[in-house]
Amino acid sequence: MIERAPIIYKAYSALWRIFDWLYPPTCLGCGEPLARWCGACQMTTKVVPHTICIRCGQLLAKRGICLRCQENPPSYVALRAWAMYKKPLREVIHRLKYRRDISLAEILARHMVLKHVTLDWEFDVVVPVPQGIVRMRERGYNQAALIAWPFALLTGRPYVPKALVKVRETPSQVDLAVQERWENVKQAFAAEGKMVEGKNVLVIDDVTTTGATMEACASALVQAGARAVYGLTAARADFTDGRSRL
Ligand SMILES: [Zn+2]
Ligand SMILES: [Zn+2]
């Protein structure tokens, strides 16, 4: 699939290679020169195991449906992540989010494309989890959009960044406990009916922790008329201790 990528994707990817040639990076995992995140370190990334809730993707002792999803089925059909939010992936996302190392998003997108091949999902459009205006002003970019765009190019689906909007500013989820996270993002998003009505929507984000953000996005999309919503993130944090380790 990546070999058959459209020209625009190849150009985007080549641009980063030129940039790396001009300003040679070192691998964030092992310090190896000339790679931002070398192939060997990418190989050591711990992928999400098979023993998960088939709806929300949370780790379980054995594969099935978790209690939360049995009692309150989520608005999305399924939520999955490529790998566990541990080193070196944790460092990758940290650099992408806070240190403007934005070319890492394309590497994450490639792994997520390979992950999606293993999932039997039919989707019509790719939508990133939006960022609030305040965060966008501070950071200057939305890391979820930087992953979603190359993902859409590689999977040949329309990229629809305006399908979801953040209608309420929310404090960062980082220091919040589980219940606070669910309250924090409740009704924080709205979806544009014209762009999603009758469509299967794939929502992309960088990290899933409790799944609260993805649920809030999916709920808005379903309310706006989306037929089905799927969620895919690069990383999955193990939230079993009840507090984030982000
Ligand atoms: Zn390395
Ligand atoms: Zn679940």
Side-chain angles (χ1 to χ4, degrees):
M1 184 171 279
I2 284 156
E3 288 71 31
R4 285 185 280 121
I7 296 281
I8 185 162
Y9 174 82
K10 286 184 177 157
Y12 180 68
S13 188
L15 200 71
W16 287 120
R17 256 170 269 141
I18 295 167
F19 195 71
D20 285 353
W21 181 74
L22 290 171
Y23 305 97
T26 53
C27 173
L28 53 85
C30 66
E32 169 101 1
L34 304 177
R36 263 159 218 289
W37 186 23
C38 79
C41 285
Q42 288 180 46
M43 293 289 284
T44 64
T45 306
K46 190 181 182 300
V47 296
V48 175
H50 187 67
T51 49
I52 52 166
C53 168
I54 57 170
R55 297 295 302 274
C56 71
Q58 182 193 302
L59 297 195
L60 295 177
K62 66 178 207 272
R63 196 172 173 86
I65 299 184
C66 76
L67 266 182
R68 180 189 270 276
C69 291
Q70 282 177 35
E71 283 164 12
N72 286 305
S75 304
Y76 49 77
V77 178
L79 170 58
R80 293 288 185 277
W82 163 52
M84 298 306 297
Y85 189 65
K86 292 183 185 325
K87 275 186 171 176
L89 182 56
R90 188 191 189 113
E91 175 66 14
V92 170
I93 289 174
H94 199 268
R95 286 203 189 190
L96 168 63
K97 261 173 137 154
Y98 306 111
R99 298 195 26 208
R100 298 183 171 269
D101 211 341
I102 59 177
S103 68
L104 290 167
E106 186 228 332
I107 304 177
L108 295 177
R110 273 190 263 147
H111 285 289
M112 289 162 74
V113 167
L114 296 174
K115 170 78 187 179
H116 115 281
V117 173
T118 69
L119 303 163
D120 203 14
W121 292 354
E122 288 295 330
F123 56 94
D124 306 304
V125 289
V126 176
V127 176
V129 168
Q131 205 160 233
I133 293 165
V134 173
R135 189 77 41 81
M136 194 69 184
R137 245 183 240 146
E138 283 166 9
R139 197 172 287 162
Y141 58 93
N142 173 5
Q143 73 280 356
L146 290 174
I147 300 171
W149 184 63
F151 182 95
L153 287 175
L154 285 168
T155 53
R157 302 298 198 288
Y159 171 63
V160 191
K162 295 201 164 73
L164 272 173
V165 284
K166 199 155 189 192
V167 288
R168 181 165 63 76
E169 291 293 331
T170 52
S172 166
Q173 298 270 80
V174 172
D175 296 316
L176 303 180
V178 179
Q179 200 48 44
E180 291 167 337
R181 281 173 176 247
W182 286 90
E183 291 300 323
N184 189 32
V185 291
K186 221 176 192 177
Q187 318 228 299
F189 302 94
E192 184 55 68
K194 283 199 295 289
M195 296 178 192
V196 298
E197 214 165 353
K199 293 197 167 118
N200 287 3
V201 180
L202 176 62
V203 181
I204 299 276
D205 204 1
D206 54 349
V207 186
T208 302
T209 305
T210 58
T213 301
M214 199 55 86
E215 169 56 28
C217 289
S219 156
L221 286 161
V222 168
Q223 271 176 44
R227 188 167 51 192
V229 179
Y230 299 86
L232 184 62
T233 66
R236 174 96 208 183
D238 187 359
F239 207 72
T240 45
D241 64 355
R243 280 197 81 84
S244 165
R245 294 178 202 152
L246 288 176

